Amino acid sequence: MQALREGDPRAIGGYRLLGRLGAGGMGVVYLARSAGGALVALKTIRPRHAADAAFRTRLRREVAALRRVSSPFAVPLLDAGPDAPVPWLATAYVPAPSLADVVHALGPLPAWTVRAVGDRLARALLAVHAAGLVHRDVKPGNVLLALDGPRLIDFGIARYAGETALTAPGSAIGSPGYLSPEQALAETDVGPPSDMFSLGCVLAFAASGRPPFGEGPAAALLYRTVHDPPDLTGVPKELTGPLGALLRKEPGARPDAAGARELLPADPRLGDGWLPEPVTRFVAERATVLLDLPEAPSPPGDATRAAAAAPTAAGGGPPGGARRGGPGQSRRRVLAALSGGALTAAAGGAVLWTRRERPGQAAGGTRTVALHADLSGDLAALGRAQRRGAELAVEHFNTAADRPFEVRLRVLDDGGDAARAGEVAGQLAAEPGVLAVVGPTGEDACRAAAPVYGGDSLPWLPVSATLSALTAERGDSYFPVRLDGLFLNAPLLAWVIERTGTARAAVVTDAGGGDPSWAMSQSLRRELPHSGIEAVEVRLPAAPDERAAARTAAEAVAAGVDTVLFTGPLSGPGAAALARALREAGFAGAVGAVRSDPADGFLREAGRAADGWVVSCPFLDAEAAAGTAGFARAHRERYGDGPAPYAAEAYDTVGFVARAVGELADGQVTRRNLMRRLRGTAHTGITATYRFTEDTSAYVPVEALYLYEVRDGRFAYLGPYQEVTGTAPA
């Protein structure tokens, strides 16, 4: 929600405005409170439309029709002023994230949830169409996921079937990528089948994480909508038939809302459990954010009405009916606005979770830390792991009885797209309340964000990626909490020297690994001879086929080596190909490599040929490591599974930032002061002691490097490399 602007009214139709929810071509949408304390979304109509007498006539008819829309899954029209100088409509306010927010944050929904969403949205559209209306803008952003079911919102461009739309003639109405072919062609005869096509687009997005006609310029989306078949890649097979029927080009060939319910039957056994547990938690967390709604000042001349609207002592207010302000009052009012079904469906979620997480307001207010992550792209698994770790860190900090302030986590998804990463960085840098950023997730995103964050404008702490020391844009604000790739040589060297008895080692330079592989290869070839181990360089071509990998393996075997050290990325194509080739060549010696991401693909593609590989990692296994059992247990209780790579490191990173903020005096909490404080703060977390040198951003690598061994198709945690190899200082 944005603050009211100078020219915004402070009250409309007896509703007190609290802030802006958004603005569009038709008008501005405000969050408002009724005299009785209920929250509403109040939409105003722009003057240029209000001055049109024909528009006013259609608006009156549309308001009358909207009052007839009755469905538990369509947000109801509560009040309207079609004849006011500035026409307005008030609908119930649903404190819930949109389908777009959920999918971008957590990824595609399971098929059973998509069917439940489809069934309930079809019920909403059945009511809309029964009232003689066409919604015309069914899209993920207009579907809210409340705990007791989805809600279809924003009927701002709804109209009577067969009637001219409330906009300029000859223009396409709706959102490109989700509108129907007839809308794309700006046809006047747009009826209920158009909404059904849009519903198919929405469900395809929910099931796959991507719109069925791609992304890009509006003109390209409109062309694909009219001429190209939908791309249902990633949609579960059981849903492709029903969605294909909804996405037929000819309006008459599509099922109506009742037919859609038959195609997408919800499992009646699900009941209130229609959302997977991570989504339930995400929805509940978003709802609790609204418990801190600010009190808007009373409009001039409205003090009497505001006092009359204040809660009485019997209703929880102070004696005598005096006004109550502050977050406690806001929380109670929003809880009243939440439906009883939503609170019950959380199974101790919104209310009990809030009581557990926020036992009382901290004296020092709130400090905001952002998570800049890939939550929907190629590195989404890493991004989601870091989000979970960060969320648990915030929960742990905020539940401490002696906390000096509360931490709020601001999460933005760049989708793994470098251009989007730059935009996210700019957005966070422009928000003065954000003190530090955890992330981004990948190196491409880091490079794109570096010119923004690296201008010393905002401390940023990447957890799963690093930038070269030659990257000038890193600046004093750069605090990488993952060690640079060359540091990962140390565990391999210690393992080879102390545990293998190696006399001659093949160092495999992976052409597909680029400069990092070459640099690591050079480092190993330089260091191994100091320990009396002969180093032989072998090269693996980029994207090797079986023959090329076999030639590399044969060269290593012919050199008489007893250890092979692979320097390329374990998740690249070269690693698995080399593992298979070494096995085929009969090599029985030791094999080592480095791993900076989960590398699950390597395990799948290499199969049993990977068994015995020892890998160096910058992240620990929080379920197997000493001192992290409590974190792992909390993670399982909250998310239903164990911590993934970098979850524990993200947990510690947020704790590190919170500790540094806490060491700043009141009135000195600024980004610049935090940058200085981060270099003077030592934070002992569950993974390592986080400490940066005073004059640089170099992280002091004490315990934060680990060894794993592939056993039976999985990475088995061996432990901190110094303990495993016996090289830990006494």
Side-chain angles (χ1 to χ4, degrees):
M1 182 181 71
Q2 300 175 348
L4 294 174
R5 298 179 183 177
E6 184 176 348
D8 287 330
R10 293 306 186 259
I12 294 177
Y15 294 88
R16 188 148 47 95
L17 306 188
L18 302 178
R20 281 179 166 233
L21 292 175
M26 294 297 293
V28 180
V29 183
Y30 299 98
L31 179 62
R33 198 186 299 283
S34 72
L39 292 172
V40 301
L42 192 147
K43 172 176 284 190
T44 59
I45 307 297
R46 296 193 184 279
R48 67 174 180 270
H49 299 303
D52 183 348
F55 177 93
R56 291 268 191 177
T57 299
R58 291 195 298 273
L59 180 60
R60 293 187 198 101
R61 294 173 59 191
E62 184 168 306
V63 166
L66 286 172
R67 293 186 190 277
R68 297 195 300 268
V69 175
S70 178
S71 169
F73 306 114
V75 174
L77 179 70
L78 300 177
D79 200 357
D83 297 313
V86 177
W88 55 272
L89 300 90
T91 61
Y93 182 66
V94 180
S98 71
L99 175 63
D101 291 336
V102 170
V103 172
H104 286 149
L106 302 178
L109 300 176
W112 51 271
T113 296
V114 174
R115 287 201 306 272
V117 171
D119 172 76
R120 294 166 189 189
L121 291 181
R123 289 171 62 181
L125 289 173
L126 197 60
V128 170
H129 299 160
L133 292 170
V134 182
H135 188 287
R136 296 176 65 89
D137 199 22
V138 179
K139 62 181 180 181
N142 281 340
V143 177
L144 301 183
L145 295 188
L147 292 172
D148 59 344
R151 300 290 196 280
L152 184 61
I153 66 168
D154 197 357
F155 294 81
I157 56 175
R159 68 173 181 87
Y160 287 104
E163 185 182 37
T164 303
L166 301 180
T167 185
S171 60
I173 309 301
S175 301
Y178 296 96
L179 44 68
S180 65
E182 54 268 33
Q183 284 178 288
L185 294 170
E187 295 178 0
T188 57
D189 186 17
V190 173
S194 177
D195 285 343
M196 305 316 298
F197 186 93
S198 298
L199 176 63
C201 294
V202 166
L203 298 179
F205 168 79
S208 68
R210 49 196 297 277
F213 296 100
E215 298 175 337
L221 294 178
L222 296 176
Y223 180 88
R224 293 181 208 137
T225 298
V226 174
H227 299 286
D228 293 352
D231 181 359
L232 299 181
T233 302
V235 173
K237 187 176 181 180
E238 66 187 85
L239 296 177
T240 56
L243 298 191
L246 289 169
L247 293 171
R248 290 170 181 154
K249 303 295 185 186
E250 290 298 323
R254 301 169 202 150
D256 60 11
R261 293 196 65 196
E262 294 177 0
L263 288 173
L264 296 160
D267 189 338
R269 297 170 296 176
L270 293 177
D272 288 332
W274 68 288
L275 290 173
E277 191 275 338
V279 178
T280 298
R281 186 176 52 258
F282 181 83
V283 171
E285 289 167 359
R286 285 298 183 92
T288 58
V289 170
L290 297 173
L291 302 181
D292 287 325
L293 283 174
E295 284 294 315
S298 298
D302 201 35
T304 301
R305 178 168 38 179
T312 65
R323 290 191 65 207
R324 289 158 53 125
Q329 181 185 28
S330 295
R331 292 189 185 102
R332 279 181 285 276
R333 285 180 171 175
V334 178
L335 283 173
L338 287 166
S339 72
L343 296 176
T344 303
V351 175
L352 298 180
W353 181 87
T354 301
R355 290 175 181 167
R356 184 178 71 247
E357 301 297 333
R358 303 170 69 93
Q361 186 71 29
T366 301
R367 307 286 187 255
T368 300
V369 176
L371 176 72
H372 175 172
D374 176 0
L375 299 173
S376 57
D378 292 341
L379 300 179
L382 291 179
R384 287 196 292 270
Q386 290 169 54
R387 176 178 188 147
R388 291 177 171 187
E391 288 173 342
L392 286 173
V394 169
E395 173 184 329
H396 179 233
F397 187 90
N398 288 348
T399 53
D402 59 347
R403 66 198 185 285
F405 50 83
E406 290 191 352
V407 176
R408 177 175 295 157
L409 189 65
R410 172 91 163 92
V411 180
L412 287 180
D413 174 21
D414 63 28
D417 178 78
R420 173 62 182 154
E423 295 171 1
V424 167
Q427 182 176 344
L428 292 174
E431 296 182 15
V434 174
L435 289 174
V437 174
V438 176
T441 306
E443 291 186 6
D444 289 344
C446 282
R447 281 191 289 269
V452 181
Y453 296 145
D456 299 338
S457 63
L458 183 59
W460 57 305
L461 300 89
V463 174
S464 54
T466 60
L467 288 178
S468 165
L470 301 178
T471 304
E473 292 88 351
R474 296 191 319 175
D476 292 339
S477 58
Y478 176 65
F479 295 87
V481 294
R482 198 209 89 182
L483 294 168
D484 184 272
L486 285 179
F487 282 99
L488 294 177
N489 275 351
L492 285 184
L493 284 167
W495 168 68
V496 170
I497 295 167
E498 301 295 336
R499 290 290 180 263
T500 64
T502 297
R504 175 179 289 186
V507 179
V508 181
T509 303
D510 180 10
D515 289 343
S517 177
W518 179 84
M520 186 170 292
S521 175
Q522 293 291 103
S523 173
L524 288 171
R525 290 166 56 209
R526 183 174 59 251
E527 296 296 333
L528 285 169
H530 292 318
S531 299
I533 299 174
E534 183 181 354
V536 178
E537 183 182 18
V538 179
R539 298 184 65 83
L540 181 71
D545 56 20
E546 296 297 325
R547 289 185 178 180
R551 286 194 295 269
T552 300
E555 184 179 351
V557 171
V561 301
D562 40 30
T563 296
V564 172
L565 298 177
F566 177 71
T567 63
L570 205 60
S571 55
L578 180 64
R580 295 191 299 267
L582 287 172
R583 188 180 183 90
E584 287 294 323
F587 181 73
V591 184
V594 297
R595 170 187 174 221
S596 58
D597 61 40
D600 294 333
F602 168 72
L603 297 178
R604 289 193 305 269
E605 295 170 17
R608 296 305 297 267
D611 281 1
W613 279 47
V614 172
V615 297
S616 167
C617 277
F619 52 83
L620 55 65
D621 182 341
E623 290 200 283
T628 57
F631 171 77
R633 182 170 57 253
H635 193 286
R636 282 194 169 278
E637 289 175 353
R638 183 162 180 182
Y639 300 106
D641 56 8
Y646 294 114
E649 287 74 17
Y651 176 92
D652 276 353
T653 302
V654 172
F656 174 51
V657 173
R659 178 179 290 274
V661 172
E663 292 178 358
L664 295 173
D666 289 342
Q668 299 298 313
V669 182
T670 66
R671 293 174 175 179
R672 171 57 64 180
N673 288 339
L674 179 57
M675 288 180 208
R676 298 191 185 101
R677 190 64 258 160
L678 284 169
R679 290 192 183 85
T681 297
H683 173 64
T684 300
I686 61 174
T687 63
T689 296
Y690 285 61
R691 184 188 298 112
F692 289 80
T693 60
E694 290 285 351
D695 56 341
T696 72
S697 291
Y699 174 59
V700 179
V702 182
E703 317 98 308
L705 292 170
Y706 312 93
L707 286 171
Y708 291 71
E709 182 180 358
V710 180
R711 298 174 185 166
D712 299 323
R714 68 179 186 87
F715 290 106
Y717 181 68
L718 300 181
Y721 88 92
Q722 292 175 319
E723 295 180 12
V724 174
T725 60
T727 57

